[in-house]
Amino acid sequence: MTDGVAPAEAPPARILGLLRELGELKRIRSAAHEGSIAERHFAAAWAALASGRSPDETWRAATASALAATRLGDIDGRVLATLGIERGGAEAILARALDEAAEEIDPALRAELRALPDAEAAPPPFVAQLARQPRAGVTCPGRPRLLLEPPENHAEHCLITAVYGVILAPFYGARPGIVFLASLAHHLHNAIIPDSGFAGEVLLGEQLEPAFARATEMALAGLPDAVAEKVREARRILPDAGTPEGRAFHAADTLDRVLQIEQHLRAGKATMRYVLQDMELVHAGPVRGFQDRLLSAMGLAA
């Protein structure tokens, strides 16, 4: 078994732009809902699985929804219907969003993505527990914790890792359904065990693995037996990067952890020139001239 990924096996760096956009779903919220888009998509995926929807149907729908949300935010089919937009028109809007976001994705994978209606079943109990459980931040034995606010929660991390895993699966020749399900379930133990990070795990010592295993089984008890067994089977890829699925998972997990911290650092480095000129905070419109003169007079022009 190998723990490394040869440079030739890594996905192209151009995919990072899309991964960064997907990661922002942890931070996008709207008035009609509690929690971030990523948190609610995590709940929707587990509700679908618990209701009997197959892992293949679930990863296709979850990935399609996440990609569309990078363009539309929380404007989904239900919102469009509320606005009186007929079904065909709503589907066209969602399809345009998906197509635009999916340009960098493997074409064969892109063709498999399918939007599906939300499952009627309630998500299993561990979903709410993971949504309430913050990630530990950056910890290292012997060093103070680095915690960047607001912290992500475990539901958000698992959903984004799962979607990353699907997108990265073709680069590693991996089965996306297995990668998605394992990624969605890789922190089940944190429904029971508060996240103390690397430093806390080191201190648990030989009790770490048995405690994680017991907590995982406690969480799995909230699923139908057949679904729980599928989750156990998928999680077999987690211990190492010796299989295509293991490599896709560990690439997704690593990239999400690093890009989460990068997001905080990138925001802190943003300049007014970037915001006003590159991002066009004050953008073209009938009052643009007035706005530009205002900012210039106030000393705020970039």
Side-chain angles (χ1 to χ4, degrees), residues 136-236:
V138 182
T139 71
C140 182
R143 296 181 182 274
R145 182 190 304 251
L146 175 62
L147 187 60
L148 299 171
E149 294 285 346
E152 63 180 326
N153 63 50
H154 279 271
E156 293 166 333
H157 167 63
C158 288
L159 185 281
I160 296 302
T161 299
V163 173
Y164 281 9
V166 168
I167 291 170
L168 297 178
F171 297 110
Y172 296 100
R175 294 166 291 175
I178 296 295
V179 179
F180 178 85
L181 189 53
S183 301
L184 207 66
H186 78 287
H187 274 284
L188 285 181
H189 56 276
N190 287 118
I192 312 298
I193 303 174
D195 188 359
S196 59
F198 178 38
E201 291 176 0
V202 169
L203 290 172
L204 284 171
E206 64 182 17
Q207 297 298 326
L208 176 69
E209 292 302 329
F212 277 21
R214 286 193 295 271
T216 297
E217 285 301 315
M218 292 169 69
L220 285 173
L223 288 170
D225 290 344
V227 180
E229 190 53 40
K230 288 179 182 178
V231 173
R232 292 186 190 96
E233 183 178 349
R235 282 174 50 91
R236 291 174 186 160

Side-chain angles (χ1 to χ4, degrees), residues 261-281:
I261 302 304
E262 183 206 55
Q263 183 272 338
H264 288 279
L265 302 179
R266 191 171 72 247
K269 293 177 182 177
T271 64
M272 190 59 72
R273 176 177 293 274
Y274 173 75
V275 170
L276 286 175
Q277 295 191 3
D278 292 19
M279 295 299 291
E280 294 189 89
L281 178 64

Side-chain angles (χ1 to χ4, degrees), residues 44-56:
W46 278 113
L49 291 164
S51 72
R53 187 174 290 171
S54 73
D56 281 344

Side-chain angles (χ1 to χ4, degrees), residues 1 30 40 93 99 119 132 158 172 200 204 212 233 240 242 245 257 259:
M1 300 291 183
S30 65
R40 287 183 284 103
I93 292 169
D99 288 344
R132 290 194 299 268
C158 288
Y172 296 100
L204 284 171
F212 277 21
E233 183 178 349
D240 58 60
E245 289 75 26
R257 284 189 284 145
L259 292 177

Side-chain angles (χ1 to χ4, degrees), residues 71-126:
R71 296 299 184 269
L72 291 170
D74 245 342
I75 299 175
D76 58 13
R78 291 181 180 180
V79 172
L80 295 173
T82 300
L83 296 173
I85 298 174
E86 51 87 25
R87 182 174 177 178
E91 289 177 350
I93 292 169
L94 294 170
R96 285 198 299 271
L98 174 58
D99 288 344
E100 182 178 313
E103 288 180 355
E104 297 293 343
I105 291 179
D106 177 82
L109 176 68
R110 189 166 65 232
E112 291 194 65
L113 301 180
R114 296 285 185 276
L116 290 172
D118 290 340
E120 296 299 325
F126 62 75

Side-chain angles (χ1 to χ4, degrees), residues 12-72:
R14 59 181 166 76
I15 203 72
L16 282 174
L18 175 58
L19 301 187
R20 288 185 178 106
E21 289 187 80
L22 286 162
E24 297 293 6
L25 299 183
K26 301 173 187 176
R27 293 168 277 276
I28 300 175
R29 292 167 167 77
S30 65
H33 302 286
E34 293 291 332
S36 68
I37 291 177
E39 179 181 320
R40 287 183 284 103
H41 283 203
F42 178 76
W46 278 113
L49 291 164
S51 72
R53 187 174 290 171
S54 73
D56 281 344
E57 287 181 313
T58 304
W59 74 253
R60 290 185 178 102
T63 305
S65 296
L67 286 166
T70 66
R71 296 299 184 269
L72 291 170

